[in-house]
Amino acid sequence: MIPALNILFGLLAKAFYLYSIICFIRIIITWIPGVAYSRFGQFLASICDPYLNLFRGIRWLQFGSFDFSPALALCLLSAGETICSSLAAGAYMHGHSLIAMALHIAFTILDSILIFILILFIKFFYLALDIILAAFGFIPWDGILYDFLAFGDS
């Protein structure tokens, strides 16, 4: 492959990686209202939301009020980075490579959903344990673990 194209694909791979990190930070700070509406949050929103909004209307990634479309958006950025990195290294893309990448994207989304369900299970298990302990007069756990698992519930 032409060395200039290797450099171009290498730069594109780095751009995909950097943009995915910025989008990930944007996704995380949307869970923190004070930060999401700060100047920094608005700056990230202006950069990331046009891309993330492309995926928000996909129904099969929405479960009730939970939206897993950012997982697909990040997976596609990762796929773009992988393709560009492979092309920068001089590799050629074949049909089986694209099928493997599509399967990787699908399993990454499924993995994200399963981890989220596991987190919800842990939260509800803890809350059930808290109710049982309170019924017997025990004081609920206190500290960082309690605040993390309770997600602000008191």
Side-chain angles (χ1 to χ4, degrees):
M1 186 178 280
I2 303 169
L5 285 177
N6 289 354
I7 293 170
L8 176 66
F9 284 123
L11 289 173
L12 281 174
K14 301 270 189 253
F16 275 116
Y17 178 74
L18 180 64
Y19 192 66
S20 65
I21 295 293
I22 293 170
C23 286
F24 181 76
I25 292 169
R26 167 68 181 145
I27 292 165
I28 295 301
I29 68 168
T30 59
W31 299 342
I32 309 167
V35 179
Y37 298 110
S38 67
R39 291 183 67 188
F40 176 70
Q42 294 300 319
F43 173 72
L44 287 180
S46 68
I47 294 172
C48 299
D49 282 359
Y51 174 70
L52 295 173
N53 288 340
L54 295 174
F55 301 94
R56 288 212 170 103
I58 301 175
R59 293 214 181 255
W60 58 271
L61 290 174
Q62 296 175 351
F63 300 100
S65 63
F66 301 110
D67 185 12
F68 292 96
S69 62
L72 177 62
L74 291 176
C75 287
L76 290 180
L77 285 173
S78 176
E81 178 193 356
T82 303
I83 290 171
C84 289
S85 295
S86 297
L87 292 174
Y92 296 100
M93 299 307 294
H94 299 286
H96 63 278
S97 302
L98 296 175
I99 291 171
M101 244 186 279
L103 287 172
H104 176 72
I105 289 170
F107 282 114
T108 302
I109 292 171
L110 181 63
D111 181 52
S112 299
I113 292 170
L114 290 176
I115 288 172
F116 181 75
I117 290 170
L118 179 65
I119 290 170
L120 285 179
F121 177 75
I122 291 170
K123 175 186 166 88
F124 290 129
F125 173 77
Y126 173 75
L127 291 177
L129 182 63
D130 193 29
I131 290 170
I132 292 169
L133 289 175
F136 289 105
F138 292 104
I139 298 173
W141 299 335
D142 198 8
I144 296 172
L145 182 64
Y146 178 80
D147 294 337
F148 174 73
L149 292 174
F151 292 98
D153 296 340
S154 31

